[in-house]
Coordinates of all heavy atoms in Angstrom, one line a residue:
M28 N -28.1 71.8 -58.3 CA -28.5 70.7 -57.6 C -29.1 71.0 -56.3 O -28.6 71.9 -55.7 CB -27.3 69.8 -57.5 CG -27.5 68.6 -56.6 SD -26.0 67.8 -56.1 CE -25.8 66.6 -57.3
M29 N -30.2 70.3 -56.0 CA -30.9 70.5 -54.7 C -30.4 69.6 -53.7 O -30.1 68.4 -54.0 CB -32.4 70.3 -54.9 CG -33.0 71.3 -55.8 SD -34.8 71.0 -55.9 CE -35.4 71.6 -54.4
T30 N -30.3 70.0 -52.5 CA -30.0 69.1 -51.4 C -31.1 69.1 -50.3 O -31.8 70.1 -50.3 CB -28.6 69.6 -50.6 OG1 -28.8 70.9 -50.2 CG2 -27.5 69.6 -51.5
F31 N -31.3 68.1 -49.7 CA -32.3 67.9 -48.7 C -31.8 67.6 -47.3 O -30.8 66.8 -47.2 CB -33.3 66.9 -49.1 CG -34.0 67.1 -50.4 CD1 -33.5 66.7 -51.6 CD2 -35.1 67.9 -50.4 CE1 -34.1 67.0 -52.9 CE2 -35.8 68.2 -51.7 CZ -35.2 67.8 -52.8
K32 N -32.4 68.1 -46.3 CA -32.0 67.8 -44.9 C -33.0 66.7 -44.4 O -34.2 66.7 -44.6 CB -32.2 69.0 -44.1 CG -31.9 68.8 -42.6 CD -32.2 70.0 -41.8 CE -32.2 69.8 -40.3 NZ -32.7 70.9 -39.6
V33 N -32.4 65.7 -43.8 CA -33.2 64.6 -43.1 C -33.6 65.1 -41.8 O -32.8 65.4 -40.9 CB -32.3 63.3 -42.9 CG1 -33.1 62.3 -42.1 CG2 -31.9 62.7 -44.3
M34 N -35.0 65.2 -41.6 CA -35.5 65.8 -40.4 C -35.6 64.7 -39.3 O -35.4 64.9 -38.2 CB -36.8 66.5 -40.6 CG -36.7 67.6 -41.6 SD -38.3 68.3 -42.0 CE -38.9 68.9 -40.4
T35 N -36.1 63.5 -39.7 CA -36.2 62.4 -38.8 C -36.2 61.1 -39.6 O -36.5 61.2 -40.9 CB -37.5 62.6 -38.0 OG1 -37.5 61.6 -36.9 CG2 -38.8 62.4 -38.8
T36 N -36.0 60.0 -39.0 CA -36.1 58.7 -39.6 C -37.1 57.8 -38.9 O -37.4 58.0 -37.8 CB -34.7 58.0 -39.7 OG1 -34.3 57.9 -38.4 CG2 -33.7 58.8 -40.5
F37 N -37.6 56.9 -39.7 CA -38.6 55.9 -39.2 C -38.1 54.6 -39.4 O -37.5 54.3 -40.4 CB -40.0 56.0 -40.0 CG -40.8 57.2 -39.8 CD1 -40.6 58.3 -40.6 CD2 -41.6 57.4 -38.7 CE1 -41.3 59.5 -40.5 CE2 -42.3 58.6 -38.4 CZ -42.2 59.6 -39.3
M38 N -38.2 53.8 -38.4 CA -37.9 52.3 -38.5 C -39.2 51.6 -39.0 O -40.3 52.1 -38.7 CB -37.5 51.7 -37.1 CG -36.3 52.4 -36.6 SD -34.8 52.1 -37.6 CE -34.6 50.4 -37.6
P39 N -39.0 50.6 -39.7 CA -40.2 49.9 -40.2 C -41.1 49.3 -39.1 O -40.5 48.6 -38.2 CB -39.7 48.7 -41.1 CG -38.3 49.1 -41.2 CD -37.8 50.0 -40.2
P40 N -42.3 49.8 -39.0 CA -43.1 49.3 -37.9 C -43.7 47.9 -38.1 O -43.8 47.5 -39.2 CB -44.3 50.3 -37.9 CG -44.4 50.8 -39.3 CD -43.0 50.7 -39.8
L41 N -43.9 47.3 -37.0 CA -44.6 45.9 -37.0 C -45.8 46.1 -36.3 O -45.8 46.4 -35.1 CB -43.6 44.9 -36.4 CG -42.4 44.6 -37.2 CD1 -41.5 43.6 -36.4 CD2 -42.7 44.0 -38.6
P42 N -46.9 45.8 -36.9 CA -47.2 45.5 -38.2 C -47.0 46.6 -39.1 O -46.8 47.8 -38.7 CB -48.7 45.1 -38.1 CG -49.2 45.7 -37.0 CD -48.1 46.0 -36.0
A43 N -47.2 46.4 -40.4 CA -46.9 47.4 -41.5 C -47.9 48.5 -41.4 O -49.0 48.4 -41.1 CB -46.9 46.8 -42.8
S44 N -47.4 49.7 -41.8 CA -48.3 50.9 -41.9 C -49.0 50.7 -43.3 O -48.5 50.3 -44.3 CB -47.6 52.1 -41.8 OG -46.6 52.2 -42.9
T45 N -50.3 51.1 -43.3 CA -51.2 51.0 -44.4 C -51.7 52.3 -44.9 O -52.3 52.3 -46.0 CB -52.3 50.0 -44.2 OG1 -53.1 50.5 -43.1 CG2 -51.8 48.6 -43.9
F46 N -51.5 53.4 -44.2 CA -52.1 54.7 -44.5 C -51.4 55.8 -43.9 O -50.8 55.6 -42.8 CB -53.6 54.7 -44.0 CG -54.3 55.9 -44.5 CD1 -54.9 55.8 -45.7 CD2 -54.5 57.0 -43.7 CE1 -55.7 57.0 -46.1 CE2 -55.2 58.1 -44.1 CZ -55.7 58.1 -45.4
L47 N -51.2 56.9 -44.6 CA -50.5 58.1 -44.1 C -51.3 59.3 -44.5 O -51.7 59.4 -45.7 CB -49.1 58.1 -44.7 CG -48.4 59.4 -44.4 CD1 -47.9 59.3 -42.9 CD2 -47.0 59.5 -45.3
A48 N -51.6 60.2 -43.5 CA -52.3 61.4 -43.8 C -51.7 62.6 -43.0 O -51.3 62.4 -41.9 CB -53.8 61.3 -43.4
F49 N -51.7 63.7 -43.7 CA -51.2 65.0 -43.1 C -52.3 65.8 -42.6 O -53.4 65.8 -43.2 CB -50.4 65.8 -44.1 CG -49.1 65.2 -44.5 CD1 -49.1 64.3 -45.5 CD2 -48.0 65.5 -43.8 CE1 -47.8 63.8 -45.9 CE2 -46.8 64.9 -44.1 CZ -46.7 64.0 -45.1
H50 N -52.1 66.5 -41.5 CA -53.1 67.3 -40.9 C -53.4 68.5 -41.9 O -52.4 69.1 -42.4 CB -52.7 67.9 -39.5 CG -53.7 68.7 -38.8 ND1 -54.0 70.0 -39.1 CD2 -54.5 68.3 -37.7 CE1 -54.9 70.4 -38.2 NE2 -55.3 69.4 -37.4
P51 N -54.6 68.9 -42.2 CA -54.9 69.8 -43.1 C -54.4 71.3 -42.9 O -54.0 72.0 -43.8 CB -56.4 70.0 -43.2 CG -57.0 69.1 -42.2 CD -55.8 68.3 -41.5
Q52 N -54.2 71.7 -41.6 CA -53.7 73.0 -41.3 C -52.2 73.0 -40.9 O -51.6 74.0 -40.8 CB -54.5 73.7 -40.1 CG -55.8 74.2 -40.6 CD -56.9 73.2 -40.5 OE1 -56.9 72.4 -39.6 NE2 -58.0 73.3 -41.4
D53 N -51.7 71.9 -40.4 CA -50.4 71.8 -39.9 C -49.7 70.5 -40.4 O -49.9 69.4 -40.0 CB -50.4 71.7 -38.4 CG -49.0 71.7 -37.8 OD1 -48.0 71.8 -38.5 OD2 -48.9 71.8 -36.5
N54 N -48.8 70.7 -41.4 CA -48.2 69.6 -42.1 C -47.1 68.9 -41.2 O -46.5 67.9 -41.7 CB -47.4 70.0 -43.4 CG -48.5 70.3 -44.5 OD1 -49.6 69.7 -44.5 ND2 -48.2 71.2 -45.5
N55 N -46.9 69.4 -40.0 CA -46.0 68.7 -39.1 C -46.6 67.6 -38.4 O -46.0 66.8 -37.6 CB -45.4 69.7 -38.1 CG -44.4 70.7 -38.8 OD1 -43.5 70.2 -39.5 ND2 -44.6 72.0 -38.7
I56 N -48.0 67.5 -38.4 CA -48.7 66.5 -37.7 C -49.2 65.5 -38.8 O -49.9 65.8 -39.7 CB -49.9 67.0 -36.9 CG1 -49.3 68.0 -35.9 CG2 -50.7 65.9 -36.3 CD1 -50.4 68.7 -35.0
I57 N -48.8 64.2 -38.6 CA -49.3 63.1 -39.5 C -50.0 62.0 -38.8 O -49.7 61.8 -37.6 CB -48.1 62.5 -40.4 CG1 -47.0 62.0 -39.4 CG2 -47.5 63.6 -41.3 CD1 -45.9 61.3 -40.2
A58 N -50.9 61.3 -39.4 CA -51.6 60.2 -38.9 C -51.1 59.0 -39.6 O -51.0 59.0 -40.9 CB -53.0 60.3 -39.0
I59 N -50.6 57.9 -38.9 CA -50.2 56.7 -39.6 C -51.1 55.6 -39.2 O -51.2 55.2 -38.0 CB -48.7 56.3 -39.1 CG1 -47.8 57.6 -39.4 CG2 -48.2 55.1 -39.9 CD1 -46.5 57.4 -38.8
G60 N -51.8 55.0 -40.2 CA -52.7 53.9 -39.9 C -52.0 52.6 -40.0 O -51.3 52.4 -41.0
M61 N -52.1 51.7 -39.1 CA -51.4 50.5 -39.0 C -52.3 49.3 -39.4 O -53.5 49.4 -39.4 CB -50.9 50.2 -37.6 CG -50.0 51.3 -37.0 SD -48.6 51.8 -38.0 CE -47.6 50.5 -37.5
E62 N -51.7 48.2 -39.9 CA -52.3 47.0 -40.3 C -53.3 46.4 -39.3 O -54.2 45.8 -39.5 CB -51.2 46.0 -40.7 CG -51.7 44.8 -41.5 CD -50.5 44.0 -42.0 OE1 -49.6 43.7 -41.2 OE2 -50.5 43.8 -43.2
D63 N -52.9 46.6 -38.0 CA -53.7 46.0 -36.9 C -54.7 47.0 -36.3 O -55.2 46.9 -35.2 CB -52.8 45.5 -35.8 CG -52.0 46.6 -35.1 OD1 -52.0 47.8 -35.6 OD2 -51.3 46.4 -34.1
S64 N -55.0 48.1 -37.1 CA -56.1 49.0 -36.8 C -55.7 50.0 -35.7 O -56.6 50.7 -35.1 CB -57.5 48.4 -36.4 OG -57.9 47.5 -37.4
I65 N -54.4 50.2 -35.5 CA -53.9 51.2 -34.5 C -53.6 52.4 -35.4 O -52.9 52.4 -36.4 CB -52.7 50.7 -33.7 CG1 -53.2 49.7 -32.7 CG2 -52.1 51.9 -33.0 CD1 -52.1 49.1 -31.9
I66 N -54.0 53.6 -34.9 CA -53.6 54.9 -35.6 C -52.6 55.6 -34.7 O -52.9 55.9 -33.5 CB -54.8 55.7 -35.8 CG1 -55.7 55.0 -36.8 CG2 -54.5 57.1 -36.4 CD1 -57.1 55.6 -37.0
H67 N -51.5 56.0 -35.2 CA -50.5 56.8 -34.4 C -50.5 58.3 -35.0 O -50.5 58.5 -36.2 CB -49.1 56.3 -34.7 CG -48.8 55.0 -34.1 ND1 -48.5 54.7 -32.8 CD2 -48.9 53.7 -34.7 CE1 -48.4 53.4 -32.6 NE2 -48.6 52.8 -33.7
I68 N -50.8 59.2 -34.1 CA -50.7 60.6 -34.4 C -49.3 61.1 -34.0 O -48.9 61.0 -32.9 CB -51.8 61.4 -33.7 CG1 -53.1 60.8 -33.8 CG2 -51.8 62.9 -34.2 CD1 -53.8 60.7 -35.2
Y69 N -48.6 61.6 -35.0 CA -47.2 61.9 -34.8 C -46.9 63.4 -35.1 O -47.3 63.9 -36.1 CB -46.4 61.0 -35.8 CG -44.9 61.1 -35.6 CD1 -44.3 60.5 -34.5 CD2 -44.1 61.8 -36.5 CE1 -42.9 60.7 -34.3 CE2 -42.7 61.9 -36.4 CZ -42.1 61.3 -35.3 OH -40.7 61.5 -35.1
N70 N -46.1 64.0 -34.3 CA -45.7 65.4 -34.4 C -44.3 65.4 -34.9 O -43.4 65.1 -34.1 CB -46.0 66.3 -33.2 CG -45.7 67.7 -33.5 OD1 -44.9 68.1 -34.3 ND2 -46.3 68.5 -32.6
V71 N -44.0 65.7 -36.2 CA -42.7 65.7 -36.7 C -41.8 66.7 -36.1 O -40.6 66.5 -35.9 CB -42.8 65.8 -38.3 CG1 -41.4 65.9 -38.9 CG2 -43.6 64.7 -38.9
R72 N -42.3 67.9 -35.8 CA -41.6 69.0 -35.3 C -40.9 68.7 -34.0 O -39.7 69.0 -33.8 CB -42.4 70.2 -35.1 CG -41.6 71.5 -34.7 CD -42.5 72.7 -34.6 NE -43.1 72.9 -35.9 CZ -44.2 73.7 -36.1 NH1 -44.7 74.3 -35.2 NH2 -44.6 73.9 -37.4
V73 N -41.6 68.0 -33.1 CA -41.0 67.7 -31.8 C -40.6 66.2 -31.7 O -40.2 65.8 -30.6 CB -42.0 68.1 -30.6 CG1 -42.1 69.6 -30.6 CG2 -43.3 67.4 -30.7
D74 N -40.8 65.4 -32.7 CA -40.4 64.0 -32.8 C -41.0 63.2 -31.7 O -40.4 62.5 -30.8 CB -38.9 63.9 -32.7 CG -38.3 62.5 -33.1 OD1 -39.0 61.9 -33.9 OD2 -37.3 62.2 -32.6
E75 N -42.4 63.2 -31.6 CA -43.1 62.4 -30.6 C -44.4 61.9 -31.1 O -45.1 62.5 -32.0 CB -43.3 63.2 -29.4 CG -44.4 64.3 -29.4 CD -44.6 65.0 -28.1 OE1 -44.1 64.5 -27.1 OE2 -45.4 66.0 -28.1
V76 N -44.8 60.7 -30.6 CA -46.2 60.2 -30.9 C -47.1 60.8 -29.9 O -47.0 60.7 -28.7 CB -46.2 58.7 -30.8 CG1 -47.5 58.1 -31.0 CG2 -45.2 58.1 -31.8
L77 N -48.1 61.5 -30.5 CA -49.1 62.1 -29.6 C -50.2 61.2 -29.1 O -50.5 61.4 -27.9 CB -49.8 63.4 -30.4 CG -48.9 64.4 -31.0 CD1 -49.7 65.4 -31.9 CD2 -48.2 65.1 -29.9
M78 N -50.6 60.3 -29.8 CA -51.7 59.5 -29.4 C -51.9 58.2 -30.2 O -52.4 58.2 -31.3 CB -53.0 60.3 -29.6 CG -54.2 59.7 -29.0 SD -55.7 60.8 -29.2 CE -55.7 61.3 -30.9
P79 N -51.4 57.1 -29.7 CA -51.7 55.8 -30.3 C -53.1 55.4 -29.9 O -53.5 55.6 -28.8 CB -50.6 54.8 -29.8 CG -50.2 55.4 -28.5 CD -50.4 56.9 -28.6
R80 N -53.9 54.9 -30.9 CA -55.3 54.8 -30.7 C -55.8 53.5 -31.4 O -55.5 53.3 -32.6 CB -56.0 55.9 -31.2 CG -57.5 55.9 -31.0 CD -57.8 56.8 -29.9 NE -59.2 56.5 -29.5 CZ -60.0 57.5 -29.0 NH1 -59.5 58.7 -28.8 NH2 -61.2 57.1 -28.7
Q81 N -56.4 52.6 -30.7 CA -57.0 51.3 -31.3 C -58.4 51.7 -31.9 O -59.2 52.4 -31.2 CB -57.2 50.3 -30.2 CG -57.8 49.0 -30.8 CD -56.7 48.3 -31.5 OE1 -55.5 48.3 -31.3 NE2 -57.2 47.5 -32.5
V82 N -58.6 51.3 -33.2 CA -59.9 51.7 -33.8 C -60.5 50.3 -34.1 O -60.0 49.4 -34.7 CB -59.5 52.4 -35.1 CG1 -60.9 52.7 -35.9 CG2 -58.9 53.7 -34.8
M83 N -61.8 50.3 -33.8 CA -62.6 49.1 -34.1 C -63.1 49.1 -35.6 O -63.7 50.1 -36.0 CB -63.8 49.0 -33.2 CG -63.4 48.8 -31.7 SD -62.4 47.5 -31.3 CE -63.5 46.1 -31.7
V84 N -62.8 48.0 -36.3 CA -63.2 48.0 -37.7 C -64.2 46.9 -37.9 O -64.0 45.7 -37.5 CB -61.9 47.7 -38.6 CG1 -62.4 47.6 -40.1 CG2 -60.9 48.8 -38.5
N85 N -65.4 47.2 -38.5 CA -66.4 46.1 -38.7 C -66.2 45.4 -40.0 O -65.7 45.9 -41.0 CB -67.8 46.8 -38.7 CG -68.2 47.4 -37.4 OD1 -67.6 46.8 -36.3 ND2 -68.9 48.4 -37.3

């Protein structure tokens, strides 16, 4: 039987997340795209948001 360690937990964001992508060279960095066009860059290793960013969508 395999066991897993919980590294961190996420609370459901408001508005909802619509996209998740991992950094190609460092799987500890993820980008979370939100319903309101904000992108959060998150470092899982240190448990911090690196850069929330508003993106204009045409």
Side-chain angles (χ1 to χ4, degrees):
M28 174 190 267
M29 295 181 73
T30 59
F31 296 93
K32 176 185 170 189
V33 176
M34 295 177 66
T35 189
T36 57
F37 291 95
M38 296 301 295
L41 294 175
S44 58
T45 58
F46 189 81
L47 176 71
F49 289 90
H50 189 280
Q52 284 90 30
D53 186 356
N54 284 334
N55 290 307
I56 298 176
I57 58 174
I59 304 167
M61 308 300 283
E62 194 172 50
D63 62 353
S64 301
I65 292 178
I66 298 172
H67 295 277
I68 309 297
Y69 186 75
N70 187 334
V71 176
R72 184 177 300 161
V73 295
D74 193 27
E75 72 176 354
V76 175
L77 300 175
M78 181 175 54
R80 183 101 194 213
Q81 182 75 31
V82 178
M83 300 302 294
V84 178
N85 292 331

